[in-house]
C-alpha cells in the first residue's frame, strides 16, 4: 500500500500522485489518476529523489509543481525542493530550504 505520498489536482480534473512509500522503499513515481476513466497512468517523469511525507503544491499559473522536504529512502529528513515544469515535462532541483521538514503543511498565497 502506498503511503506518505502527496497529490495535486490538475485543471482537467485528474489527480497527480507523487512519491510516497511502499513497504520500506520510497518512490519517485509521478502517476496520473483520471477519475472519469478510473485509470492510473505512470507518467514516466520521476522525481529526482525518492521521498515520502513531503508536500506538493501547484503554482497559480498551473505551470509548476513544487515538491518540498520529506523523508529520503533511508529515513533522513530532507531540505531539498524540486520543481516540475508542466510545459517541459521535467523535474529540476532548486535551492533547498534552510531547515529540513517532514509531515508539514504548505499552501499557495494568492494576492
Amino acid at each position: 500500500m502506498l503511503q506518505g505520498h502527496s497529490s495535486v489536482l490538475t485543471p482537467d480534473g485528474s489527480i497527480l500522485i507523487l512519491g510516497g512509500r511502499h513497504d520500506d522503499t520510497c518512490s519517485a513515481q509521478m502517476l496520473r489518476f483520471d477519475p472519469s476513466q478510473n485509470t492510473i497512468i505512470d507518467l514516466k517523469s520521476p522525481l529526482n529523489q525518492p521521498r515520502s511525507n513531503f508536500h506538493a503544491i501547484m503554482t497559480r499559473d498551473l505551470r509548476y509543481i513544487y515538491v518540498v522536504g520529506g523523508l529520503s529512502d533511508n529515513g533522513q529528513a530532507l531540505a531539498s525542493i524540486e520543481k516540475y515544469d508542466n510545459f517541459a515535462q521535467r523535474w529540476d532541483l532548486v535551492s533547498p530550504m534552510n531547515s529540513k521538514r517532514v509531515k508539514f503543511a504548505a499552501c499557495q498565497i494568492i494576492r
Side-chain angles (χ1 to χ4, degrees):
M1 174 175 66
L2 185 65
Q3 55 188 336
H5 58 281
S6 193
S7 59
V8 292
L9 181 64
T10 65
D12 68 3
S14 62
I15 300 167
L16 298 180
I17 303 164
L18 307 161
R21 181 175 291 277
H22 188 320
D23 297 323
D24 290 330
T25 305
C26 281
S27 172
Q29 278 188 311
M30 182 163 74
L31 307 171
R32 178 185 300 272
F33 171 61
D34 181 346
S36 67
Q37 302 292 319
N38 198 30
T39 56
I40 296 178
I41 299 166
D42 185 343
L43 295 180
K44 306 295 184 198
S45 297
L47 298 162
N48 287 297
Q49 181 171 20
R51 61 181 74 216
S52 66
N53 300 299
F54 60 95
H55 195 80
I57 192 162
M58 187 178 290
T59 58
R60 187 175 183 185
D61 64 4
L62 309 176
R63 178 163 184 186
Y64 301 108
I65 298 169
Y66 285 88
V67 167
V68 182
L71 289 173
S72 69
D73 212 20
N74 64 3
Q76 297 296 311
L78 299 170
S80 61
I81 300 173
E82 297 187 42
K83 177 177 77 172
Y84 181 75
D85 185 326
N86 279 309
F87 298 154
Q89 297 185 345
R90 74 166 202 232
W91 289 98
D92 290 309
L93 289 170
V94 297
S95 296
M97 298 178 287
N98 290 330
S99 60
K100 299 172 182 181
R101 290 184 172 80
V102 178
K103 295 184 182 180
F104 62 99
C107 67
Q108 181 185 81
I109 297 174
I110 300 174
R111 296 179 186 198

